[in-house]
Amino acid sequence: TIIMMEAQLAPMEEHQQYDQMDMAEEEMSAPQYQPLEVLQDHGIAANDIEKLKNAGYHTVESIAHATVRKLSDVKGISEAKVTKLKDIVKAMVAMEFKTAADALEERKGIVHLSTGSVELDKLLEGGIETGSITEVFGEFRTGKTQLCHTLCVTCQQAITDGGAEGKAIYIDTEGSFRPEKLQAIAERFGLDPVATLENVACARAQNSEHQME
């Protein structure tokens, strides 16, 4: 909650308050996901929630979006429990029709991240779109890893410069993450290399199970 004060703000205080307002607006526009644990308040046992999490379901929305058949495949979750789950989450997750005007309002919060290539950005109509999953595929040494490194940097730029003023998480599945690449890319875009590295979290996934964790 933001409380607007009537008193005249000093320049620094005013700047801080604008930052708080921007953060609050971002939180309001960002998708809100409900942790699976809230289902305990609706009569779902903790051990059933643990079974669902072990199967890869971590939010109420993931249950709502899954098919009955997929949920029935979860070990220890019977059809009766699936039916109960579906009835509960249906009331918790909006999955009905909405007006095109509402859809347009929601899309105003979407940001396009620059790939670092003007021509590629044109093909993607502005760059990589937030709020969605983008799959990049191609043969060996076609620039996939380089693109991922570049996005780790460009996502930190101002929105007006093709960024999102955010941070990045890099899950390395083949040992190809190179922080020195990030330094060089940061210098190319006029960013502080040290600050850029601090805004990127990385982890080496040793196997598929580790990656899921």
Side-chain angles (χ1 to χ4, degrees):
T1 302
I2 298 174
I3 301 176
M4 299 298 293
M5 305 298 291
E6 294 183 0
Q8 183 67 31
L9 297 174
M12 180 60 70
E13 293 173 331
E14 185 176 6
H15 179 71
Q16 292 173 344
Q17 183 155 339
Y18 285 144
D19 287 345
Q20 292 173 350
M21 291 174 64
D22 290 340
M23 291 173 62
E25 289 176 358
E26 289 177 4
E27 290 176 357
M28 291 175 64
S29 62
Q32 300 298 315
Y33 297 104
Q34 305 170 78
L36 214 55
E37 286 74 13
V38 301
L39 292 178
Q40 291 187 60
D41 298 333
H42 297 270
I44 303 301
N47 61 328
D48 286 335
I49 291 175
E50 192 62 30
K51 292 173 184 175
L52 291 166
K53 291 176 69 175
N54 290 337
Y57 300 96
H58 296 276
T59 65
V60 174
E61 287 73 17
S62 66
I63 300 296
H65 300 163
T67 63
V68 171
R69 181 178 178 182
K70 282 289 186 182
L71 292 173
S72 298
D73 289 340
V74 178
K75 187 176 181 180
I77 302 297
S78 65
E79 287 188 20
K81 289 181 179 179
V82 170
T83 301
K84 182 180 179 181
L85 275 168
K86 278 295 189 179
D87 288 340
I88 292 172
V89 300
K90 185 177 181 180
M92 300 174 67
V93 179
M95 296 180 64
E96 306 296 332
F97 282 100
K98 58 186 173 184
T99 67
D102 289 338
L104 177 62
E105 191 65 28
E106 290 179 4
R107 286 191 60 80
K108 288 182 179 179
I110 292 176
V111 175
H112 289 83
L113 304 178
S114 174
T115 62
S117 167
V118 175
E119 294 304 317
L120 185 54
D121 285 347
K122 288 180 181 178
L123 288 173
L124 297 173
E125 298 183 353
I128 303 294
E129 188 176 279
T130 60
S132 60
I133 297 175
T134 301
E135 181 179 5
V136 180
F137 65 94
E139 295 184 3
F140 180 65
R141 299 188 67 85
T142 54
K144 302 184 298 296
T145 300
Q146 180 68 22
L147 174 59
C148 291
H149 280 75
T150 301
L151 289 171
C152 284
V153 176
T154 59
C155 75
Q156 302 181 41
Q157 292 183 294
I159 293 177
T160 53
D161 294 331
E165 301 175 13
K167 299 181 179 182
I169 295 176
Y170 194 112
I171 301 176
D172 186 4
T173 61
E174 54 183 21
S176 58
F177 178 74
R178 297 290 182 271
E180 54 270 25
K181 280 188 177 181
L182 298 184
Q183 290 181 311
I185 297 170
E187 291 173 354
R188 171 194 167 192
F189 286 99
L191 299 178
D192 179 4
V194 176
T196 298
L197 293 182
E198 289 293 335
N199 288 330
V200 179
C202 61
R204 177 76 165 94
Q206 303 298 334
N207 52 58
S208 58
E209 290 181 0
H210 184 206
Q211 185 173 345
M212 289 294 293
E213 293 172 359

